[in-house]
Amino acid sequence: MGFWVFILILVFILLVLFTRIKIVPQSNVYVVERLGKFYQAWETGVHFLMPFLDRVAKRVSIKEQVVDFQPQPVITKDNVTMQIDTVVFFQITNPVQFAYGVERPLAAIENLTATTLRNIIGELEFDATLNSRDLINTKITETIDHATDRWGIKVIRVELKNIDPPMDIKNAMEKQMKAEREKREKILRAEGEKEYQIKVAQGEQEAKILRAKADKEAAILRAEAEKEATILRGEAIKEQKMRIADGEARSIEVVQQALADSLVQLNQANPNQAVLQLKALEAFQKAADGKATKIIIPSEIQGLAGLAAGLKGVIEQDTTEELPAANSTTPAK
């Protein structure tokens, strides 16, 4: 009987000792009390609690945490009531202060965030509230972080998640946004029409410039063509005249050569005085072809002309005498 009691007692002791072994996981800290008083803050690893003396008062996670608080009613400087909900990012840096600093720390942070938000929004007008989110986030973060430092909590960032204005303000904002969109649309349409007109004017100007350049180049080409045609016509006329003059020169040369050859032949024939005078008469006949206004007749040619006239008279007389004789012989037959 005593043996089984001993075994039961031993098993009980082993179970108690086994339950007193605590393993602290990563990113966690256990706050341990001994006899109701803070004893140690256990970090990651294996630890042993003294039976009936020690207890884990609080298990604290030192990871960064996110808390989404419910929308809070706030009033702006121009008396516009709106609902704003916030998101707080925080981390526990001192587990002991977190365990003993404040009761219900998340509720404390929520209330502190709401009061700080009301103070900041109360100094801003409605339009500034909508346009100053970064400024509001920074101010809330600084204020809450300073207040929660003694609680062992580090507030990393506070964000305004939603800003919900009243319905009449929403309708007015929608109308304003619609007016702004219509205004921008009209401005864009006007700017587009302006750019279109500018492009058209620039195109017409460039077209006129190109047409003027084309007309100028065409006129230059026509002038150059006329110039070249004139030069070619002049060269053709010049060549024609040169060929005519060359032909006349050659004809004169041929005539002169023929005359020279005749004179040579005449000289070789040893002509008498009568032949020479006859040649002189032929030359005088060519000189007196009606183009000269005055003619000076040499004395030799004058005598030769008289001789020719005398010969002409004798010939005509002989012809006259022969004609009656012929007429007288006809009846005899």
Side-chain angles (χ1 to χ4, degrees), residues 73-298:
V74 295
I75 301 175
T76 62
K77 187 177 181 180
D78 50 354
N79 296 324
V80 176
T81 302
M82 64 182 71
Q83 298 287 330
I84 300 178
D85 58 339
T86 56
V87 179
V88 179
F89 299 83
F90 68 94
Q91 184 178 14
I92 298 172
T93 57
N94 192 327
V96 177
Q97 291 181 350
F98 177 76
Y100 300 104
V102 63
E103 188 71 22
R104 299 174 59 197
L106 294 181
I109 294 175
E110 181 179 6
N111 292 325
L112 183 60
T113 303
T115 55
T116 305
L117 183 63
R118 290 190 181 97
N119 292 334
I120 295 174
I121 298 299
E123 297 176 356
L124 299 175
E125 294 183 354
F126 176 71
D127 293 337
T129 302
L130 299 178
N131 299 325
S132 305
R133 288 199 175 202
D134 291 338
L135 178 62
I136 297 172
N137 294 337
T138 302
K139 286 185 176 181
I140 294 177
T141 302
E142 291 176 354
T143 303
I144 297 177
D145 182 57
H146 179 72
T148 58
D149 185 63
R150 62 180 182 273
W151 300 341
I153 299 173
K154 172 67 177 176
V155 177
I156 299 172
R157 187 171 181 82
V158 178
E159 292 284 348
L160 301 184
K161 186 177 179 181
N162 291 314
I163 298 178
D164 188 14
M167 186 58 64
D168 55 345
I169 299 296
K170 287 183 178 180
N171 295 331
M173 291 174 62
E174 290 178 357
K175 292 179 180 179
Q176 183 180 1
M177 291 175 61
K178 183 178 180 181
E180 288 292 335
R181 286 194 297 268
E182 292 177 353
K183 177 182 176 181
R184 288 195 296 267
E185 181 183 1
K186 292 179 180 179
I187 292 173
L188 291 175
R189 189 182 296 112
E191 290 180 351
E193 184 66 23
K194 178 182 177 181
E195 292 180 359
Y196 170 74
Q197 295 295 336
I198 292 173
K199 294 294 184 181
V200 170
Q202 290 178 350
E204 292 178 353
Q205 181 182 5
E206 292 177 359
K208 290 180 180 179
I209 293 172
L210 292 176
R211 283 195 295 268
K213 289 183 179 180
D215 294 339
K216 179 181 177 182
E217 292 178 357
I220 292 173
L221 293 176
R222 284 195 299 270
E224 291 179 352
E226 292 177 358
K227 178 180 177 182
E228 292 179 358
T230 303
I231 293 173
L232 293 175
R233 284 196 296 270
E235 291 180 353
I237 294 171
K238 178 181 178 182
E239 186 176 357
Q240 181 182 6
K241 289 182 178 180
M242 290 177 63
R243 290 184 178 181
I244 293 172
D246 187 49
E248 291 178 352
R250 289 184 181 180
S251 63
I252 294 172
E253 183 180 356
V254 171
V255 171
Q256 293 295 330
Q257 185 66 34
L259 291 176
D261 293 340
S262 65
L263 291 176
V264 171
Q265 292 177 1
L266 184 62
N267 189 23
Q268 290 178 356
N270 194 12
N272 56 19
Q273 187 65 30
V275 174
L276 295 176
Q277 289 178 356
L278 183 60
K279 290 293 183 180
L281 183 60
E282 291 176 357
F284 176 73
Q285 183 181 1
K286 292 180 179 180
D289 58 355
K291 294 181 180 180
T293 57
K294 293 181 180 181
I295 301 174
I296 300 174
I297 302 173

Side-chain angles (χ1 to χ4, degrees), residues 302-319:
Q302 290 178 2
L304 184 59
L307 178 60
L311 291 175
K312 180 179 180 182
V314 174
I315 294 169
E316 290 178 353
Q317 184 178 359
D318 291 340
T319 305

